[in-house]
Amino acid sequence: MKKIIFFNSLGRKLEEFKPLIDGYVSLYCCGPTVYSFATLGNFRTYIFEDFLRRTLEYNNYQVNHVMNITDVGHLTGDNLGDANIGLDKVEEAANKEKKTVYDLTQFYIDSFLKDSSALNILKPKVIPKATDHIQEQINMIKKLLELGYAYQIEDGIYFDISKWKEYGKLSGQKLNEKLAGARIEVKGGKKNAYDFALWKFSPKDVVRQMEWDSPWGKGFPGWHIECSAMSIKYLGEHFDIHCGGADHIAVHHENEIAQSEASTGKTFANYWMHGEFMMVDGNRMGKSQGNAYLVSDLIEKGLNPLAFRYLTMNTHYRIQLNFTWQGVQAANTALNRLFNNILALKKIVGGVKGEINLNFKEKFLNSINNDLNMAEALSVVWDTLKSNLSDEDKLATLIDFDLVLGLGLKDLEEEEIEITPEIEELLYSRKLAREKKDFKEADNIRNQLKSLGVNVVDGPDGQKLERIT
Ligand code: AMP
Ligand code: ZN
């Protein structure tokens, strides 16, 4: 197998990837909280994870990709590190939309899968829901209580971070500093400010749609415990790679490590990889920030969702990417140029017949295996197109690269141009102008057609239209 280098957030350095089992990779990615549409910010992270999976598969690894669906327990205060505050995002949205939580979450799960597929994100092998794994979460909490890592207070069961001496190892925060210098108030009988909820009791004055019996009383699981319980169920107590967005490092993933390693006594995941934020004017793109765009916004603006996928390739996943419509537009233009080149090659070659060029393949592999350098991989794509390889070999090589790029090059076909009445009329006027040898008028009409996105070519069979990109 060829060498693959990844940046491991655990230890904050580039490391050679070595799987636990030869030829096999266990990969867990934190999935969406399904109370609303996933934003293009969220999708930047899922696309990075898709490049990761595809890169591993391109290197001939079999990847067991698990992504959870958070449909309970994610509180509005969770990302701030105080798992004692806020409302359950899903319950809150269901009440607002006057739906049952199950109708609400199913709707957003379906939307998420549809948008993911429009972005050519490969479907994870397992997509477990938190509400389907309540027992697994209860079992883990029981174990943590038995081992003395958790304690019960009036409103729930909490993990005691002071008992887990390695707390902070992912984000580089020292436990004693975290305990002493806590800037948030210790509320409701918690021992330490950053102790987080494993189980919350249903509030006495609130009727929750989602609540379950537990040995300690009716309630619901905290957000972090679901990822530990489900990753362990599907990938084992010790697995290869755990991913998420950069915001998860300091709280969610730190908590996942603490509760998993405390309950099993084993290393949880060997590699932790995090995608940096999609920004809008200096702020994180987010639902709660009110600056989020969706896949449906791309479609509404007449842009191919894959233009967004292409856009994300230009900026390394560990660097923040500022979202602008101009940027997506430019990516759309570049993507169409690529599509046109592929279509032209397909026309000449008449099918995929050539051989994959090993020289370019080596360069492509060196880029993706170097901590997913997709921008460099894209430049190998354009170099291949410009090279003096035969058309057959170019096409075969690029279609092979697309296993990682995921731009749908193999199935790409010439789109039929829709002849609107306006285009039909212009074509007819141009035909008359040419018959009268009024070439100035014919050129005029050609320019009008161009502004409608089509180019007219005069051939032996008359006027033919081509799409302009
Ligand atoms: P959530 O649905 O809020 O739990 O987030 C789903 C995933 O998207 C997580 O891995 C987050 O870290 C990630 N994420 C959230 N906002 C952004 C953003 N603006 N850019 C990139 N990733 C994000
Ligand atoms: Zn998670």
Side-chain angles (χ1 to χ4, degrees):
M1 293 255 187
K2 219 174 145 53
K3 189 165 158 175
I4 305 182
I5 303 284
F6 289 142
F7 184 86
N8 192 349
S9 306
L10 187 64
R12 285 170 292 284
K13 59 177 192 305
L14 291 165
E15 274 177 34
E16 181 172 354
F17 174 67
K18 294 240 192 290
L20 287 163
I21 302 171
D22 267 354
Y24 173 88
V25 181
S26 38
L27 169 67
Y28 186 87
C29 302
C30 289
T33 306
V34 284
Y35 69 106
S36 175
F37 294 106
T39 68
L40 292 180
N42 301 138
F43 278 116
R44 182 185 185 204
T45 294
Y46 302 128
I47 292 171
F48 135 66
E49 292 161 352
D50 188 58
F51 288 141
L52 169 64
R53 168 175 167 183
R54 286 170 179 268
T55 293
L56 291 163
E57 289 179 343
Y58 194 73
N59 281 272
N60 297 316
Y61 284 103
Q62 192 195 324
V63 182
N64 192 6
H65 178 197
V66 178
M67 177 184 275
N68 68 302
I69 299 279
T70 299
D71 56 354
V72 68
H74 197 165
L75 304 187
T76 42
D78 273 337
N79 297 59
L80 308 172
D82 186 350
N84 202 17
I85 52 164
L87 300 165
D88 186 315
K89 294 186 183 189
V90 170
E91 286 251 350
E92 195 193 12
N95 292 340
K96 253 192 209 150
E97 292 193 25
K98 300 204 173 16
K99 283 184 178 166
T100 67
V101 282
Y102 298 100
D103 287 345
L104 177 101
T105 54
Q106 198 52 54
F107 174 78
Y108 288 119
I109 291 169
D110 293 343
S111 309
F112 172 71
L113 294 175
K114 195 167 141 241
D115 288 349
S116 299
S117 140
L119 293 164
N120 278 355
I121 294 172
L122 298 173
K123 203 167 168 187
K125 306 268 167 75
V126 192
I127 311 179
K129 286 199 282 187
T131 51
D132 289 338
H133 295 79
I134 300 297
Q135 194 53 50
E136 287 83 349
Q137 297 176 71
I138 291 177
N139 292 347
M140 191 175 239
I141 300 167
K142 263 192 207 160
K143 217 162 162 191
L144 289 167
L145 278 164
E146 275 162 28
L147 293 168
Y149 288 109
Y151 59 92
Q152 181 170 344
I153 54 173
E154 202 188 331
D155 77 338
I157 315 250
Y158 286 81
F159 186 92
D160 182 349
I161 66 163
S162 69
K163 292 275 168 63
W164 179 248
K165 300 297 172 219
E166 291 182 35
Y167 194 87
K169 70 176 173 182
L170 182 68
S171 51
Q173 306 164 83
K174 298 249 177 331
L175 179 61
N176 51 2
E177 286 167 16
K178 189 114 188 163
L179 293 174
R183 273 177 289 119
I184 58 174
E185 196 190 329
V186 186
K187 287 187 214 134
K190 281 204 302 180
K191 293 187 181 168
N192 311 290
Y194 289 98
D195 288 354
F196 54 92
L198 298 167
W199 187 263
K200 297 270 287 187
F201 298 126
S202 296
K204 289 185 182 62
D205 50 340
V206 178
V207 182
R208 280 183 60 91
Q209 291 195 46
M210 292 184 289
E211 53 184 7
W212 293 266
D213 286 324
S214 80
W216 320 284
K218 206 169 257 223
F220 60 100
W223 170 39
H224 314 293
I225 192 80
E226 68 169 86
C227 284
S228 293
M230 295 195 283
S231 57
I232 288 176
K233 171 162 180 173
Y234 293 102
L235 298 173
E237 291 177 342
H238 183 192
F239 59 90
D240 292 305
I241 309 178
H242 195 310
C243 292
D247 56 329
H248 284 348
I249 299 175
V251 179
H252 182 50
H253 288 168
E254 204 69 86
N255 293 352
E256 273 192 51
I257 294 178
Q259 60 202 1
S260 305
E261 299 195 349
S263 71
T264 66
K266 292 183 186 154
T267 299
F268 183 38
N270 279 353
Y271 300 86
W272 288 82
M273 295 176 70
H274 294 96
E276 252 307 338
F277 283 155
M278 184 82 178
M279 309 291 283
V280 182
D281 301 327
N283 297 308
R284 174 171 87 91
M285 182 189 282
K287 290 162 214 168
S288 42
Q289 275 75 2
N291 61 3
Y293 295 106
L294 309 176
V295 169
S296 57
D297 292 321
L298 296 169
I299 296 167
E300 242 165 59
K301 285 191 187 287
L303 295 161
N304 185 340
L306 294 177
F308 178 75
R309 187 178 172 96
Y310 190 99
L311 172 81
T312 68
M313 288 190 217
N314 287 318
T315 306
H316 192 265
Y317 77 88
R318 284 192 287 113
I319 296 176
Q320 290 187 346
L321 166 58
N322 197 42
F323 180 91
T324 62
W325 283 110
Q326 240 175 342
V328 193
Q329 195 72 55
N332 198 58
T333 306
L335 180 67
N336 279 331
R337 234 174 70 218
L338 177 64
F339 282 176
N340 280 342
N341 276 291
I342 298 292
L343 286 172
L345 286 172
K346 282 188 174 176
K347 214 181 244 172
I348 300 166
V349 176
V352 183
K353 296 175 185 150
E355 305 226 333
I356 298 166
N357 181 276
L358 295 182
N359 185 22
F360 280 109
K361 185 169 175 124
E362 174 84 7
K363 287 186 185 160
F364 185 80
L365 257 173
N366 285 343
S367 307
I368 57 174
N369 284 8
N370 179 15
D371 197 27
L372 309 179
N373 191 338
M374 298 307 296
E376 200 177 272
L378 260 190
S379 71
V380 178
V381 166
W382 290 105
D383 288 348
T384 308
L385 267 173
K386 279 185 258 155
S387 72
N388 54 11
L389 290 186
S390 69
D391 290 334
E392 283 84 353
D393 289 0
K394 266 186 201 174
L395 187 59
T397 307
L398 291 167
I399 284 180
D400 175 63
F401 292 170
D402 198 51
L403 291 170
V404 179
L405 306 173
L407 296 171
L409 302 186
K410 191 168 170 209
D411 299 324
L412 187 68
E413 277 175 17
E414 193 102 50
E415 251 181 84
E416 291 267 324
I417 296 174
E418 192 198 344
I419 314 272
T420 61
E422 190 183 2
I423 293 179
E424 197 169 341
E425 209 178 304
L426 285 168
L427 283 174
Y428 183 66
S429 310
R430 189 168 176 275
K431 185 168 164 267
L432 293 182
R434 278 176 57 83
E435 279 166 8
K436 281 194 271 168
K437 303 228 177 306
D438 185 352
F439 295 115
K440 200 165 165 222
E441 176 61 6
D443 279 351
N444 250 338
I445 299 174
R446 162 177 280 141
N447 286 337
Q448 288 179 53
L449 284 162
K450 272 189 184 158
S451 69
L452 296 174
V454 287
N455 191 27
V456 61
V457 189
D458 300 303
D461 307 325
Q463 307 181 91
K464 249 190 76 197
L465 289 181
E466 286 175 349
R467 191 178 296 283
I468 302 174
T469 54

